[in-house]
Amino acid sequence: MNTTLGQWLTTDRPASRAQARFVRLTLSFRALLANRLALVGLAIVLALVAISLVGPFFVGSPTEQVLANRLMPPSAEHWFGTDELGRDILARIVHGSEITVRIVLMVSLIVGPFGLMVGIVAGYFGGAVDAVLMRITDIFLSLPRLVLALAFVAALGTGINNAIIAIAVTSWPPYARLARAETLSIRNSDFVRMAELQGASTLRILLNHIAPLCIASVVVRLTFDMSGTILTAAGLGFLGLGAQPPQPEWGLMVAAGRQYVLDQWWVATIPGIAIFVASLGFNLLGDGLRDVFDARSS
């Protein structure tokens, strides 16, 4: 039965659309498994998600202050040491991973679909629609992402939710550009013309015929940019415009520990390592996904 299932999942002559999709997923998964660095990135990302989901149940409170234990070095009792208020850094790192995953997930759910729709609409219609949408995109692209995010946070106010909105508003233009380029290359294809001749609506063509062919490139770019989202969120927290005390956000922890970096190095260094490892995981995973979905990278 396993042999039969394996043949069904790897056949070069699928009998249905569903089987074709399963075959493609199987081959893509095998290609991903062949990339060792991508597996390292996948392991880091999965570990981050797992820690954010179940880790808080196994550590203490991230806000509990024990001034008698302030600035203690890493030990058996406090694996990552304690901060200037006696709070356990391990507990704050674990609870901070939940904030990081939430920011990455929310930003991705906003910028991916929005950028995709802007890009395919501009590429499919062309003309004045394309010109207007792309000039708006160019305006956002012409400004540094972090500076623009700072401006939006300053206007909206501090806090994690406002930081998510600010990061999302400044992150969608690359996806619009990418989706537009993909749409321009396929909008005059035979299958699109056939759908138009059969009377398919514009919305149906965009959603069923063009968008699926653009999703792979957008997902790869989105995975790469998740590390940038983490860094931007940490930057906002470091500057005091993102998460607010006593929330255990990693950038905020680095900012609080920078005055102790020479004598009590662990207070700022360990949150910085967490930011580095999470960003590295998404970069490695994105590189592997690019190899899987982009035939030109082979």
Side-chain angles (χ1 to χ4, degrees):
M1 182 174 179
N2 291 334
T3 302
T4 303
L5 179 60
Q7 293 175 347
W8 189 84
L9 290 174
T10 58
T11 181
D12 56 355
R13 295 182 178 180
S16 64
R17 180 179 298 181
Q19 184 182 3
R21 290 175 178 172
F22 278 111
V23 170
R24 183 176 182 181
L25 287 174
T26 301
L27 297 179
S28 298
F29 184 69
R30 287 185 175 182
L32 184 63
L33 291 179
N35 189 323
R36 295 183 179 180
L37 288 179
L39 288 180
V40 173
L42 179 62
I44 293 174
V45 172
L46 292 179
L48 176 64
V49 174
I51 290 173
S52 68
L53 292 176
V54 303
F57 297 102
F58 296 95
V59 296
S61 170
T63 58
E64 182 181 0
Q65 300 180 14
V66 183
L67 296 181
N69 294 335
R70 64 186 303 269
L71 299 176
M72 292 183 61
S75 62
E77 183 179 1
H78 302 284
W79 289 6
F80 291 168
T82 60
D83 64 7
E84 71 280 4
L85 296 176
R87 297 171 296 192
D88 185 72
I89 294 179
L90 174 61
R92 292 180 63 78
I93 290 291
V94 170
H95 285 271
S97 67
E98 182 181 3
I99 297 176
T100 300
V101 170
R102 190 203 328 165
I103 292 175
V104 170
L105 180 61
M106 294 303 299
V107 170
S108 301
L109 290 177
I110 295 172
V111 302
F114 183 77
L116 177 65
M117 291 307 302
V118 170
I120 63 176
V121 168
Y124 181 76
F125 288 101
V129 174
D130 182 29
V132 171
L133 291 178
M134 287 303 102
R135 295 303 75 78
I136 296 174
T137 302
D138 290 339
I139 292 173
F140 280 89
L141 286 173
S142 65
L143 298 173
R145 180 176 172 182
L146 181 58
V147 174
L148 192 58
L150 289 173
F152 277 105
V153 170
L156 296 173
T158 59
I160 293 179
N161 292 333
N162 289 339
I164 292 173
I165 295 174
I167 296 172
V169 169
T170 60
S171 300
W172 64 267
Y175 307 100
R177 279 287 185 185
L178 182 60
R180 174 183 178 270
E182 295 279 354
T183 303
L184 288 175
S185 65
I186 61 178
R187 68 176 180 179
N188 293 322
S189 301
D190 292 340
F191 67 91
V192 175
R193 294 302 184 191
M194 183 61 68
E196 292 173 346
L197 291 175
Q198 291 177 344
S201 65
T202 301
L203 182 62
R204 181 181 180 88
I205 293 174
L206 292 178
L207 295 181
N208 293 350
H209 297 280
I210 296 180
L213 297 179
C214 301
I215 288 178
S217 298
V218 171
V219 168
V220 172
R221 178 61 188 262
L222 193 62
T223 307
F224 270 118
D225 285 353
M226 286 179 180
S227 61
T229 300
I230 293 174
L231 294 175
T232 303
L236 293 175
F238 183 87
L239 296 173
L241 297 175
Q244 298 297 301
Q247 291 178 311
E249 198 274 325
W250 293 344
L252 187 62
M253 293 172 64
V254 173
R258 68 184 185 275
Q259 58 182 316
Y260 307 103
V261 69
L262 294 180
D263 298 322
Q264 289 82 27
W265 57 267
W266 58 88
V267 180
T269 302
I270 291 179
I273 293 175
I275 296 172
F276 167 76
V277 172
S279 301
L280 178 64
F282 282 111
N283 275 333
L284 293 177
L285 180 59
D287 187 66
L289 291 177
R290 181 190 59 190
D291 294 341
V292 170
F293 291 117
D294 188 0
R296 293 170 294 183
S297 66
S298 301

